[in-house]
Amino acid sequence: MSTNTITINGKERYYEPAPHDIDVENFRKVITSRRSVRKFTQKPIPQAVLDDCLDMALLAPCSSGLQQWEFYVVRSADKKAKLVKACMSQLAAKTAAELIVCVARTDRIDDFAKQMLREWPMPDVPPLVKRYYQLIPYNYSSGPLNSFAYAKKAAFALGGLVAAVPRGPYTKSEVELWAAKSTALACENLVLAFRAHGFDTCMMEGFDAARVSKLLHLKDGAFPIMVIGAGERADDGVFWPQVRFDRKLFVHEV
């Protein structure tokens, strides 16, 4: 038996114990000190720090392990100037040491489903897992004018009368939302990683998506969901105290 397996009920299972030495208070400090910083100093972010933060972003949870994201670190002075304009010349974009465009992808689902099977981390791919990834291209295909999507939606609605069934994503827009959700999780990993390294960020949704897509030569099936400015927080980089409404508006026990 390898060090990564354990026997449960006579069967060998993969074993990955959770670490118990995590400092919760330091993690809380990362969470609570993360702010949308609107003004940065001129201090550069070391390449090693940038790479480490991006690597931690890529460890974010994602639907079916398909990693529906891309990160474009805009380094060209010309492209950076155009990106700042596409972000409506926000101060957070103008002063950031690094500008990173976070892109969601829906055009690599088929390829990545196959790659998952090729790179499966265990010696054998379980039959159910293999079948699942073989069906993924059909599950996320909407067809011309969403024709396949509506057929699937009707079929699952009928099935849902007698059992719990997945209710999408079916249409092109639903698949885009599916990809955006996973990409947003990676964005959160990225900004928290920067904060843990002592740098700050501003997650900008106010940008001209068409101009950003043209700047990065994005094709159909790839779309920007966020531009993240990163750098060292200026003394006046946070404009006002954080506002959070009463907890009871958001947390419910049912």
Side-chain angles (χ1 to χ4, degrees):
M1 187 189 308
S2 73
T3 56
N4 290 329
T5 59
I6 190 172
T7 300
I8 300 177
N9 296 328
K11 293 184 178 180
E12 194 175 75
R13 302 291 190 187
Y14 175 69
Y15 179 58
E16 185 174 318
H20 296 289
D21 57 348
I22 294 173
D23 189 322
V24 175
E25 289 311 311
N26 273 336
F27 178 69
R28 190 190 317 279
K29 190 183 298 183
V30 170
I31 295 286
T32 57
S33 65
R34 190 239 28 104
R35 298 299 311 279
S36 292
V37 171
R38 308 292 176 175
K39 183 180 178 183
F40 300 96
T41 72
Q42 295 183 343
K43 180 180 178 179
I45 299 175
Q47 185 64 45
V49 170
L50 177 62
D51 287 339
D52 190 44
C53 292
L54 288 166
D55 287 343
M56 284 194 269
L58 299 179
L59 294 175
C62 51
S63 179
S64 297
L66 292 175
Q67 302 158 68
Q68 302 90 326
W69 47 59
E70 274 188 327
F71 293 93
Y72 288 79
V73 182
V74 179
R75 288 286 177 77
S76 159
D78 177 61
K79 288 185 177 180
K80 198 168 185 179
K82 291 178 179 177
L83 180 57
V84 168
K85 288 184 178 180
C87 291
M88 275 67 84
S89 298
Q90 295 179 59
L91 190 60
K94 290 167 64 175
T95 62
E98 300 287 353
L99 285 175
I100 303 167
V101 183
C102 310
V103 174
R105 299 287 298 265
T106 61
D107 57 337
R108 301 195 292 190
I109 295 173
D110 297 11
D111 291 340
F112 278 19
K114 294 174 183 175
Q115 187 163 340
M116 181 63 79
L117 291 176
R118 289 195 301 269
E119 298 188 20
W120 190 253
M122 304 292 283
D124 299 306
V125 182
L128 285 177
V129 171
K130 185 175 183 180
R131 184 61 176 159
Y132 176 79
Y133 282 102
Q134 288 172 336
L135 289 174
I136 274 181
Y138 304 99
N139 292 341
Y140 294 101
S141 174
S142 57
L145 300 177
N146 284 320
S147 55
F148 190 26
Y150 293 126
K152 288 190 294 181
K153 195 168 188 175
F156 279 107
L158 287 174
L161 296 175
V162 295
V165 296
R167 306 279 181 162
Y170 303 120
T171 64
K172 182 176 183 289
S173 61
E174 288 174 344
V175 174
E176 288 177 346
L177 175 59
W178 166 83
K181 287 191 290 185
S182 286
T183 304
L185 293 175
C187 292
E188 179 73 359
N189 266 28
L190 181 60
V191 300
L192 293 180
F194 274 120
R195 182 82 286 278
H197 274 288
F199 290 93
D200 283 284
T201 55
C202 185
M203 304 168 86
M204 293 174 279
E205 293 184 283
F207 60 87
D208 187 325
R211 291 178 183 274
V212 174
S213 294
K214 182 178 180 181
L215 179 67
L216 300 179
H217 305 291
L218 300 182
K219 298 179 181 179
D220 188 40
F223 53 98
I225 68 164
M226 200 175 298
V227 179
I228 295 178
E232 181 186 57
R233 182 185 309 194
D235 289 341
D236 56 347
V238 178
F239 287 177
W240 44 74
Q242 189 176 63
V243 178
R244 286 295 181 266
F245 303 138
D246 194 294
R247 186 177 189 270
K248 66 184 180 183
L249 294 172
F250 310 104
V251 180
H252 311 284
E253 294 186 8
V254 297

